[in-house]
Amino acid sequence: MCSIGQLAERAGVTVKTVRFYSDRGLLPEAARSGGGHRRYGPDALDRLRLIRSLRTLDLPVPDVRRVLDQDDDLEDLVARQLREVTSRLAALRWREAALRLLAESDCTVRERAERLRLIGTVSFPPGTAAIARFWRCWLPARLPARVAAAVVDRAVPALPDAPTPAQVLAFARLQEFVTGPCAVAGPRAGAGLGVPEVHVPGKGYRPAVLYEGLPEAFELAAAELRAGRAPHAGEALDCFAAVHAAALGRRDTADFRRGLHPLLAAETRVDRYWQLTAEIETPPPGPPEPTPGAADNWLRAALGTTA
């Protein structure tokens, strides 16, 4: 048996610390002396050291108690704490990049005020719920859930853990774009951003066929973009035209392609969205990774060279 002072000395902590853990039931005393002083058993030192280790990891007292009582698995608690720390670090990195954006010496007073306004709409770390909501609104209402989920997953940008100031600004502008009055008004309703031809009922399009087939065409076009090739006829364009023909229940012929080019050229576009997405996903000075929007532009240009 040892006194509270002896236990504190052996553990390298203060008496106040030992008393704190004892009062909260983490370090039960084995007995009391005749004068009412606390006495601790031979296992108290190891238990106290374990408590200190868990607290060093910033585990809350209730979680420490559950580990000590074996009511909760240490591995699960550590994993949860690691997720929380990772989230806090990401928030700090985004906040740091936002501050650097505002501190740039070549930024005018007006630009700084505009940047500050945009940053004020962003949470740290940021989320992509508003962006996903924009796409769910933009897509046709009767698109199968699995197809819609695949489109949204592909369209929503992957946010960097350690962004540059430029990426923070691009994300703030993107969030403003997807939450602005035009987007909120609802593309399906025919307001704001308008409705692509493929989304309009009665126009002959089968949206599910189109959105299921386009990813393959976009991947083929992305390879051409990475190689720096100008739009041209070939496998990517053939796949693109065939998908549109299938969605319209037509055959992919030269006449069909000639009619498809002006049809697509007249459609509502969200080029600004894809431009900002490319800025978010590609830190300078690297070349931008092709987005679905960039692939679509390449394919439309290739269609124009053959139409």
Side-chain angles (χ1 to χ4, degrees):
M1 304 290 281
C2 63
S3 68
I4 189 172
Q6 291 170 328
L7 179 60
E9 184 178 2
R10 291 173 187 173
V13 299
T14 64
V15 170
K16 183 179 179 181
T17 297
V18 177
R19 186 177 293 114
F20 174 84
Y21 293 139
S22 293
D23 291 343
R24 278 154 183 77
L26 300 181
L27 188 65
E29 57 200 56
R32 291 268 179 164
S33 69
H37 298 291
R38 304 173 197 246
R39 291 290 183 265
Y40 296 91
D43 296 334
L45 181 58
D46 286 341
R47 187 177 177 93
L48 178 55
R49 285 171 174 164
L50 177 57
I51 293 169
R52 289 192 64 202
S53 296
L54 295 172
R55 291 292 290 154
T56 299
L57 295 173
D58 206 26
L59 286 176
V61 169
D63 287 346
V64 172
R65 179 180 292 109
R66 284 196 288 271
V67 172
L68 294 172
D69 296 340
Q70 298 184 340
D71 291 335
D72 215 334
D73 186 70
L74 176 59
E75 186 178 349
D76 292 339
L77 288 172
V78 170
R80 186 175 67 200
Q81 193 71 2
L82 182 59
R83 288 193 296 270
E84 292 177 3
V85 170
T86 300
S87 178
R88 289 200 296 268
L89 285 174
L92 288 173
R93 293 188 187 106
W94 275 81
R95 189 170 290 117
E96 178 190 20
L99 290 169
R100 292 187 183 280
L101 178 67
L102 296 173
E104 289 180 350
S105 58
D106 60 347
C107 182
T108 66
V109 174
R110 174 175 289 185
E111 287 173 335
R112 187 169 287 110
E114 175 63 11
R115 291 178 180 184
L116 186 60
R117 182 189 68 79
L118 287 169
I119 288 171
T121 66
V122 178
S123 60
F124 297 117
T128 57
I131 301 174
R133 189 163 52 248
F134 165 81
W135 279 103
R136 285 193 293 269
C137 182
W138 173 264
L139 292 171
R142 295 185 179 181
L143 199 64
R146 61 177 179 80
V147 178
V151 173
V152 172
D153 184 64
R154 185 179 177 85
V156 173
L159 304 185
D161 291 329
T164 64
Q167 287 174 307
V168 171
L169 182 59
F171 177 81
R173 286 172 171 163
L174 180 63
Q175 181 159 282
E176 183 179 54
F177 177 85
V178 300
T179 58
C182 287
V184 174
R188 286 181 189 163
L193 294 174
V195 181
E197 191 79 7
V198 65
H199 297 182
V200 180
K203 293 291 184 176
Y205 261 109
R206 291 180 292 172
V209 174
L210 181 69
Y211 281 108
E212 276 192 299
L214 281 178
E216 182 182 357
F218 289 165
E219 285 297 329
L220 293 170
E224 301 287 348
L225 283 164
R226 293 187 191 99
R229 299 190 185 100
H232 62 86
E235 185 181 7
L237 178 59
D238 291 345
C239 181
F240 183 70
V243 168
H244 276 277
L248 283 165
R250 301 268 302 278
R251 291 177 54 246
D252 179 17
T253 64
D255 286 341
F256 172 77
R257 294 192 183 193
R258 279 192 290 270
L260 180 62
H261 181 256
L263 178 68
L264 295 181
E267 279 191 348
T268 297
R269 304 298 306 280
V270 286
D271 288 332
R272 178 62 171 163
Y273 176 93
W274 295 117
Q275 175 194 341
L276 293 170
T277 297
E279 293 177 22
I280 292 168
E281 294 187 327
T282 310
E289 179 65 16
T291 64
D296 188 55
N297 285 340
W298 190 95
L299 290 162
R300 291 176 186 231
L303 182 64
T305 65
T306 61

